[in-house]
């Protein structure tokens, strides 16, 4: 049973990854300061995997607390680093907080991974590093364009830190996974996304709107150069995304030699417009959704979707679930939250 630290393991993507790690025979050890997650995720995890995972309620920036955890756990073989601030708009208002938190927690983790010989790191990156790519679908060789926000900068800088750190011979190998747009929830509805306040992301806004918590969805622009004028994204089911992390760890574990770094897109390879998502939600749930067309949101790219050949061939991973599956599961989770409220 190989022990893996999962920073941010009580969060949206982290908790789903804990499920897949356990299913694949790893022992996940959660590190989470619950600044943007809830302890109820641990109860949800218990329902799915049969026992509550080990969890340290500590801040990944706290070197002493993190070292104590490494020492106590003893035989850690790697880490998946999810814990980070992730609100694009907020990062523009609070750049220092974003740089300090997102860069420092990575440095603390890598330092301790080297020190305690836990060599396998999977980093939670984002397709935001590509900006608006010239060619679609976007592949891993596409240029990294200037970031649109401090949040985006932190993902670019963290990738660079990892690349340079893993190029020297020491016990550290790494993979950055560039996520496209994660949606959905575990089909059991025991874990899912818990946005604080008004959701910025499309799918949680849709589900909250559908239960009457929010007004009708505003479509941010219908004058883009896309089939129906609304923006195109690659929506990936969070359970598929979680499975990609297990594949990445298995690849790192097998990687020969003392240096290894690579990046993989994690998307479906398909792009859907905002209006298509609204229609697919209505089809998948039988729920009618009100919406209106509003102005463009500043900073939005027009269209982006993944080229998936590298992750298919290199990681041995591909998305299995559809947009409809993601919307159905997000809706099931929303209904459960509403019924328990
Ligand atoms: C999707 C589409 C909006 C809300 C962001 C981050 C990215 C990543 C995921 C996170 C866009 C449109 C949205 C609404 C709308 N990182 N939209 N009405 O912007 O692609 O990516 O989240 O941790 O780095 O930038 O995702 O869900 O906000 O938007 O029309 O009320 O839905 O314009 O086209 P985005 P999103």
């Amino acid at each position: 049973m190989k022990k893996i630290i999962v920073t941010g393991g009580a969060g949206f993507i982290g908790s789903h990854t804990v499920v897949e790690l356990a299913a694949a025979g790893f022992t996940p050890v959660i590190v989470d300061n619950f600044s943007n997650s809830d302890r109820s995720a641990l109860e949800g995890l218990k329902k799915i995997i049969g026992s509550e995972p080990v969890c340290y309620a500590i801040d990944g920036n706290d070197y002493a607390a993190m070292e104590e955890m490494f020492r106590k756990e003893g035989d850690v073989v790697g880490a998946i680093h999810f814990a980070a601030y992730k609100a694009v708009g907020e990062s523009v208002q609070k750049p220092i907080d974003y740089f300090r938190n997102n860069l420092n927690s990575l440095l603390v983790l890598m330092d301790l991974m080297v020190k305690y010989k836990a060599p396998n790191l999977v980093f939670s990156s984002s397709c935001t590093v590509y900006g608006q790519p010239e060619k679609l679908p976007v592949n891993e060789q596409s240029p990294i364009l200037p970031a649109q926000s401090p949040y985006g900068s932190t993902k670019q800088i963290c990738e660079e830190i990892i690349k340079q750190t893993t190029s020297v011979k020491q016990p550290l190998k790494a993979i950055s996974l560039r996520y496209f747009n994660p949606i959905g929830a575990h089909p059991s509805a025991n874990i899912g996304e818990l946005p604080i306040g008004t959701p910025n992301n499309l799918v949680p806004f849709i589900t909250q709107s559908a239960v009457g918590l929010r007004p009708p969805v505003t479509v941010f622009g219908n004058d883009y150069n896309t089939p129906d004028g609304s923006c195109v994204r690659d929506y990936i089911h969070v359970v598929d995304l979680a499975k990609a992390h297990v594949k990445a760890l298995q690849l790192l574990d097998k990687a020969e030699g003392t240096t290894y770094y690579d990046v993989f897109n994690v998307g479906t390879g398909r792009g859907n417009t905002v209006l298509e998502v609204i229609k697919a939600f209505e089809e998948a749930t039988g729920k009618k959704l009100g919406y209106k067309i509003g102005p463009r949101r500043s900073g939005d790219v027009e269209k982006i979707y993944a080229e998936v050949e590298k992750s298919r061939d290199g990681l041995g991973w591909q998305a299995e679930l559809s947009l409809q599956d993601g919307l159905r599961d997000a809706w099931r989770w929303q209904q459960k939250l509403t019924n328990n409220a």
Side-chain angles (χ1 to χ4, degrees), residues 88 126 151 181 200-202 218-220 231 233 297 300:
V88 178
S126 168
Y151 163 76
N181 286 57
N200 293 313
N201 294 119
L202 177 62
T218 301
V219 177
F220 296 145
C231 291
R233 296 288 183 275
R297 180 172 71 176
D300 265 343

